[in-house]
Amino acid sequence: MTLVTLLEHRPSRQAANISLVFAVLAAVGLFLFPYATVGRGFGGASTLLLFPGRTLDLTGFPPQVLPAFGPTLAFGWAALAALAATAVAAVTRARWLWLAGLVTLALGVLAAVTFETATAAVVRDLVAGGTPLRRIPQANGAANLGIFTVMLAGLVTTLAGISGFPAWYARLNRLRAALVPLVAIALAVVIGAVVVLVIQPVPSSTPAVGAAAWYGKIDLVWFVYTTLFAPLADLGDFFQALTLATPLIFAGLAVAFAFRAGLFNIGAPGQIAAGAILAMLVGVYLPVPGVLHAVLTVIAAALGGALWGAIPGFLKARFGSSEVINTIMLNYIASAIFIFLISSNTFPVFGRTFNLPFKPQGVNEAVSQELRPDARLAQIPQLLGLQAGQPGFVPLAPLAALVVFAAVYAFLARNRRRLLIALGAAVLTLPLTWTWLGVRVNTSFNLAGSTLNLAFLIALAAVVFFAVFLWRTSGGYALRAVGLSPKAAEYGGINVARSTVLAMTIAGAFAGLASTHYLMGGALAGQYRLTQNLPYQNVGFDGITVALMGQSTPAGVVAAAVLFGTIDTGGLYVDQQLDAINKDIVTVLKALIVLFIAAGGFLPKRITNPPPAVLLPNLARSSAENRETLGNKAENTSAQAGEGPPATEANDPRNDGRDA
């Protein structure tokens, strides 16, 4: 693609207007928002760098040594000039709008990187001089909202500019389904910011007034949200976020799979409990040696959830009863059975007392027997050797399996067995390469306390199954057809009743597998047993939120689950550092996200689901030009061949005047 080709398409008026709005907001935000955080205390009080170079201290103990602000401020001035150029390009709908956005994005990134590099140099010198790291406020210094708005404006402008290219417009249009959750998150963040400003005063050593109050409030909101998302920047916290996300992936898949079939599976809590019960029975009382015991226990968890999902599916298919009511009632039944099995050692019936073997003797808590060691799932940090001061081994077997799958799938002939053969080759690659194909690393962090276990990999395998089954098999096509229109699917020869039972069975199996994370992986304080505090109710209902936010797609479910796991982990740090704001802000954000997704992000239909003429104007125009070009070539070819002028409505012998 040459430079001339890159400059031959203009962005649409809507895209240019969006770029103009973001460019103006970013230019104003450079002066109205804190540019960067020089240092921050434990309670959130900070020393701020304001553009174009003033510092504002709210801690009462300003840093003795300040980083070099010159380079990052120079990039800030350059970004301001780039934003001005972006505004001009947006007003004139210039062909180089994407280039202005790309330059703005790069300058914002450089401003953040140079500031954090200068801050890290100060911290390194102070540590070398003997200052404890916990006493260095610069250790928490980073870019603030001023730099972030520049990067956001650059990103939006770049996307708006390249949307003028038909090929890129088609690629971006595939992401249109993500508009609703993204807008819902943005609206939730805005309203959550208002809640933060109303409840939490500005962290400051003295009452903040005037400009200090304004910058302090903006920094407070920035501090809350960066703390919520801080686990993404720390490996230990990110492992904790993945630990919380693992059961949400299973629950989200359970709800999303039923959604695809036109069903509302609100019974994930009961299906998780049923899976946990059956997994406990197999893991404790089935004496199977070796790794086969763990495999059978995982299968038992899936079967328990599948059974609990098949019941409402059968009732729906056979009698037409609502799956919503049936799954809710089955939630209560599963919960009662769960508590019954672990609450007592005896059970009186008609004057006789029967002994129950599930609860250990002499234990007052409501717990079951521990799983046998062979039925447990290993912790991922232990498998990788990610412990402080010890050499870790990061296996590359999953990457090798992915390469093998892609290679086999690409080179085999197109037939029904190609996918199965490729999957089989990839699965066989894992055990053959796991122990020797990898990289040895020396780690300075300790993840020995992490409970992230192999259930996370099982969740990823379930995601792959979800995608392959629904979009690569005839059974998945039938389920999606039933979900779109049951009557049309039945008219087309699809057995709607069988598809309904199958959909609820598979959805229940997904939910049942969530119990492996807690029961077999020891995610609850290292306990490999059923406990009364197993959060099947919360996880099951959170799966509805995850499925809605993920738009019932496998990748969307994973992204939503990781997002919720991240902010749940970050919410604990917000609770520790601020007085009035606690981890309930995470619950507020989740509720707002669901509310706005249910409202479609308040986006009009012409944006979320535009008609084809609006959807692909550039492609339609290109197609029309191509047709005209082909027509001209055909006319020239006919003339050169001596066939005379092409027939028209006027000289076509088949036109006898009736059309007139």
Side-chain angles (χ1 to χ4, degrees), residues 406-540:
V408 174
Y409 189 80
F411 288 103
L412 284 180
R414 292 183 175 272
N415 54 51
R416 295 182 178 180
R417 299 188 183 91
R418 180 173 66 156
L419 179 62
L420 295 177
I421 295 174
L423 285 175
V427 171
L428 185 62
T429 303
L430 287 174
L432 294 178
T433 60
W434 188 273
T435 57
W436 62 270
L437 183 60
V439 178
R440 294 196 176 276
V441 296
N442 291 321
T443 59
S444 59
F445 44 82
N446 187 2
L447 297 176
S450 174
T451 55
L452 181 65
N453 54 77
L454 290 180
F456 176 69
L457 300 183
I458 298 176
L460 297 183
V463 170
V464 174
F465 174 82
F466 184 109
V468 172
F469 181 81
L470 275 184
W471 283 280
R472 291 293 184 270
T473 65
S474 58
Y477 173 80
L479 290 184
R480 289 187 289 116
V482 171
L484 292 173
S485 177
K487 291 187 178 297
E490 186 176 14
Y491 181 79
I494 296 175
N495 191 326
V496 176
R498 183 175 61 188
S499 297
T500 300
V501 176
L502 178 63
M504 288 300 296
T505 301
I506 296 178
F510 283 139
L513 286 171
S515 63
T516 61
H517 175 67
Y518 299 107
L519 183 64
M520 302 175 64
L524 290 178
Q527 298 187 65
Y528 297 91
R529 62 176 80 198
L530 296 182
T531 61
Q532 193 172 6
N533 61 344
L534 194 149
Y536 56 89
Q537 294 283 359
N538 294 336
V539 170

Side-chain angles (χ1 to χ4, degrees), residues 163-191:
S163 67
F165 301 92
W168 277 103
Y169 186 89
R171 293 188 184 99
L172 293 175
N173 187 66
R174 298 191 189 103
L175 303 177
R176 190 177 292 271
L179 278 177
V180 172
L182 288 177
V183 173
I185 293 174
L187 292 175
V189 167
V190 171
I191 296 182

